[in-house]
């Protein structure tokens, strides 16, 4: 397996702003001073600042995607996680505010780059395109995450403070168009082969398009973009799933957020995944998730979780998420896109188009590729392959399960259940506290108190 060094992050450029007021970041003068873009030497540092802001979105999305759903249980003392575990989410929840803040911090810095960089003299075309492309792509991804987490959100496309003081929620159509426009611009600007998977490149954008069109139910486009990534030849499925669990920047990684020992979130109560999953054991795998990952169909993807009998007591089932290590470990990155997801997207898109079980180029062949990789040979537990007799409805349910096995604790489950209209059915069986309001997270209360255009426009049920 290839080993690639991660980029070095300059912590001074991690722009820290209040999670409470991020359409108008405070203090505005300090934030503006930290973002300097006047000459060519400023460009790489501002680009790193953009990635530093973006990196908070991804672990926060892991919490949203797997804890709002049925993959995790609360096992600690933090009230924000108790709310998520008990399915009693409120508009003052700190995890909600963290994700909202990370989204708009990323958007603000992207807007700054897109406004300033075209007017900076002496910047090479390669550097300008790469940085502009990153700003477009990460802004588009931030709005994609915002739309499918919070619903309609304010569409802030400037750093102008007065404009950002009073922005209403935009329409779903306008937000989606902005995501598509940003991805399209990034596709023309980002390099085909970035330095490593810690940076966005052309195929990260194509992977993002594949996921977007999957969410939109545009099966033709979803299949097309997933195929482009798969057939690019730039990525390979790891033969041993343990590599996915234990190693950063694997051969199948398209994009992941990277940390050094100096800037790992560590004990951060909002985004320090190793601390939450292992150190504090604030959050543990649900019994349903353990049973799913223990099934023969999961194969060696069972290594996503680990058991410690010494932790087995009271309501603690002794299981932990194994994917996220400590600051000095080689598995503290968080994946944004990897090749296995592209096979899953293509399989679902093909199944939805009726291409279910052909011997070549079908949903069945895509899923069997993953199951062959997941064959747990050491325990003589051969993963069963999907037969040709499978029906379309059976295949779609198998793909839903396969996404649990393959993508567990990478932040997909809640989003999958919502987009497939299965969230109520699944979650009402999981907990008596589930309400349809939880198909979206609430707009943070502080945002409504600050932005008068949001008053009276909270998500239903909050």
């Amino acid at each position: 397996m290839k080993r690639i060094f991660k980029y070095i992050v300059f912590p001074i450029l991690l722009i820290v702003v209040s999670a409470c007021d991020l359409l108008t970041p405070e203090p505005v003068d300090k934030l503006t001073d930290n973002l300097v873009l006047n000459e060519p030497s400023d460009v790489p540092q501002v680009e790193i600042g953009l990635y530093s802001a973006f990196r908070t979105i991804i672990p926060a999305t892991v919490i949203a995607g797997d804890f709002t759903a049925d993959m995790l249980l609360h096992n600690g003392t933090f009230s924000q996680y108790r709310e998520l575990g008990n399915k009693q989410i409120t508009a003052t929840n700190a995890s909600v505010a963290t994700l909202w803040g990370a989204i708009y911090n990323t958007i603000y810095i992207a807007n700054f780059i897109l406004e300033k960089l075209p007017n900076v003299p002496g910047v090479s075309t390669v550097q300008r395109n790469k940085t502009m492309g990153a700003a477009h792509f990460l802004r588009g991804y931030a709005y994609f995450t915002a739309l499918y987490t919070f619903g309609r959100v304010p569409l802030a496309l400037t750093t102008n403070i007065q404009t950002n003081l009073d922005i209403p929620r935009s329409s779903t159509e306008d937000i989606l168009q902005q995501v598509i426009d940003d991805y399209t611009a990034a596709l023309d600007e980002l390099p085909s082969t970035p330095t490593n998977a810690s940076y966005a490149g052309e195929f990260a954008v194509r992977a993002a398009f594949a996921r977007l069109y999957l969410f939109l139910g545009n099966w033709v486009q979803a299949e097309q973009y997933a195929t482009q990534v798969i057939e690019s030849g730039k990525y390979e499925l790891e033969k041993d799933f343990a590599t996915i669990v234990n190693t950063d920047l694997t051969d199948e990684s398209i994009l992941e957020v990277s940390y050094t020992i100096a800037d790992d979130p560590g004990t951060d109560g909002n985004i320090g995944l190793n601390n939450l999953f292992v150190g504090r054991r604030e959050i543990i795998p649900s019994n349903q998730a353990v049973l799913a990952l223990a099934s023969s169909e999961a194969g060696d993807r069972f290594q996503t979780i680990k058991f410690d009998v010494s932790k087995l007591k009271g309501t603690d089932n002794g299981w932990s998420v194994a994917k996220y290590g400590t600051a000095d470990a080689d598995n503290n990155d968080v994946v944004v896109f990897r090749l296995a997801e592209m096979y899953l997207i293509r399989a679902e898109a093909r199944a939805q188009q009726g291409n279910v079980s052909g011997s070549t180029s079908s949903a069945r062949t895509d899923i069997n590729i993953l199951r062959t990789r997941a064959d747990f040979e050491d325990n003589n537990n051969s993963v069963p392959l999907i037969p040709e007799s499978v029906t379309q409805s059976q295949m779609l349910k198998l793909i839903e399960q396969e996404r649990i096995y393959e993508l567990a604790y990478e932040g997909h489950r809640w989003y999958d259940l919502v987009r497939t209209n299965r969230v109520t059915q699944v979650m009402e069986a999981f907990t008596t506290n589930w309400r349809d309001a939880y198909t979206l997270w609430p707009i943070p209360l502080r945002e409504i108190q600050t932005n008068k255009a949001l008053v009276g426009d909270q998500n239903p049920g909050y």
Side-chain angles (χ1 to χ4, degrees):
M1 187 202 68
K2 300 191 297 285
R3 294 301 304 128
I4 310 171
F5 289 103
K6 293 185 255 184
Y7 64 84
I8 298 174
V9 177
F10 298 94
I12 193 171
L13 284 167
L14 176 56
I15 310 301
V16 180
V17 298
S18 167
C20 299
D21 188 13
L22 286 139
L23 292 182
T24 56
E26 296 288 352
V28 171
D29 56 344
K30 182 179 291 187
L31 179 59
T32 304
D33 287 345
N34 280 343
L35 289 170
V36 176
L37 189 49
N38 297 319
E39 55 189 53
S41 61
D42 297 330
V43 177
Q45 294 183 334
V46 172
E47 183 180 355
I48 289 172
L50 172 67
Y51 277 99
S52 294
F54 169 71
R55 289 183 310 160
T56 302
I57 292 177
I58 308 308
T61 306
V62 170
I63 299 301
D66 285 331
F67 207 3
T68 313
D70 56 351
M71 297 292 289
L72 292 164
L73 298 174
H74 182 233
N75 189 52
T77 60
F78 286 12
S79 60
Q80 70 198 82
Y81 301 118
R82 184 181 302 112
E83 287 185 5
L84 288 165
N86 293 342
K87 303 302 176 270
Q88 296 175 332
I89 306 166
T90 68
T92 58
N93 185 282
S95 294
V96 171
T98 295
L99 181 51
W100 179 280
I103 286 167
Y104 278 101
N105 198 13
T106 301
I107 290 167
Y108 184 92
I109 299 174
N111 289 344
F112 178 86
I113 290 171
L114 295 171
E115 288 173 359
K116 294 278 288 184
L117 184 53
N119 300 316
V120 177
V123 180
S124 71
T125 300
V126 171
Q127 179 68 73
R128 193 186 305 273
N129 285 348
K130 183 167 72 77
T131 305
M132 292 283 286
H136 276 296
F137 176 61
L138 299 185
R139 183 174 70 177
Y141 189 90
Y143 274 122
F144 170 84
T145 303
L147 178 62
Y148 287 102
T149 306
F150 299 101
R152 297 180 303 106
V153 295
L155 198 56
L157 300 174
T158 176
T159 58
N160 183 277
I161 301 305
Q162 292 305 312
T163 300
N164 288 344
L165 280 172
D166 185 13
I167 305 180
R169 299 173 75 172
S170 295
S171 68
T172 297
E173 293 74 18
D174 285 348
I175 297 167
L176 283 171
Q177 189 60 57
Q178 186 60 52
V179 174
I180 292 170
D181 289 347
D182 274 332
Y183 285 178
T184 301
L187 203 54
D188 291 334
E189 295 165 331
L190 286 170
S192 174
T193 304
T195 303
N196 59 54
S198 296
Y199 291 96
E202 172 192 345
F203 288 95
V205 183
R206 295 191 188 280
F209 264 126
R211 188 187 291 176
L212 171 64
Y213 286 123
L214 182 78
F215 275 56
L216 293 175
N218 186 330
W219 313 122
V220 173
Q221 292 282 74
E223 179 181 2
Q224 173 187 321
Y225 279 104
T227 298
Q228 289 171 2
V229 178
I230 292 167
E231 295 184 352
S232 70
K234 294 180 178 294
Y235 314 99
E236 297 178 7
L237 291 175
E238 292 289 350
K239 293 180 175 61
D240 184 352
F241 195 79
T243 304
I244 301 298
V245 175
N246 299 319
T247 309
D248 295 334
L249 298 171
T250 67
D251 286 344
E252 71 175 79
S253 181
I254 302 166
L255 179 66
E256 58 188 63
V257 294
S258 294
Y259 304 94
T260 69
I261 195 167
D263 69 355
D264 186 277
T267 58
D268 187 299
N270 291 308
I271 61 169
L273 295 182
N274 178 262
N275 177 53
L276 292 170
F277 289 141
V278 180
R280 287 183 53 88
R281 292 186 59 73
E282 184 74 29
I283 311 169
I284 60 176
S286 69
N287 296 327
Q288 288 88 337
V290 171
L291 289 172
L293 290 168
S295 69
S296 61
E297 290 85 358
D300 71 352
R301 292 170 293 190
F302 184 68
Q303 295 173 90
T304 297
I305 55 177
K306 59 185 178 181
F307 180 72
D308 183 346
V309 68
S310 69
K311 306 297 184 185
L312 183 61
K313 54 186 175 182
T315 58
D316 193 325
N317 60 20
W319 291 95
S320 303
V321 176
K323 277 186 174 176
Y324 305 107
T326 59
D328 59 351
D330 190 26
N331 68 330
N332 65 340
D333 286 6
V334 188
V335 169
V336 184
F337 299 106
R338 59 184 175 87
L339 185 60
E341 185 195 353
M342 298 300 105
Y343 279 103
L344 289 162
I345 288 173
R346 189 169 72 175
E348 187 171 341
R350 285 174 166 175
Q352 290 284 3
Q353 295 175 84
N355 183 7
V356 176
S357 60
S359 59
T360 60
S361 303
S362 66
R364 172 177 167 269
T365 57
D366 281 336
I367 297 303
N368 281 343
I369 286 171
L370 297 178
R371 290 197 170 192
T372 300
R373 187 273 291 274
D375 200 344
F376 206 175
E377 294 178 355
D378 290 345
N379 284 356
N380 296 315
N381 182 20
S382 181
V383 178
L385 299 182
I386 297 173
E388 290 188 20
S389 59
V390 67
T391 66
Q392 183 183 48
S393 60
Q394 289 170 336
M395 177 59 79
L396 290 172
K397 187 62 185 299
L398 285 168
I399 291 169
E400 180 184 309
Q401 287 299 113
E402 202 73 21
R403 289 180 69 88
I404 294 176
Y405 308 146
E406 185 69 40
L407 303 177
Y409 308 114
E410 294 179 23
H412 293 270
R413 177 64 168 163
W414 174 50
Y415 298 100
D416 284 343
L417 291 173
V418 172
R419 69 177 176 80
T420 58
N421 297 313
R422 281 184 34 80
V423 66
T424 297
Q425 178 183 347
V426 170
M427 293 307 299
E428 283 185 346
F430 181 73
T431 173
T432 57
N433 288 341
W434 181 260
R435 296 188 295 121
D436 285 343
Y438 301 140
T439 56
L440 291 173
W441 269 12
I443 303 299
L445 178 61
R446 176 61 177 166
E447 295 301 323
I448 293 175
Q449 292 173 334
T450 303
N451 181 356
K452 62 183 180 181
L454 298 178
V455 174
D457 201 10
Q458 176 61 277
N459 286 329
Y462 295 102

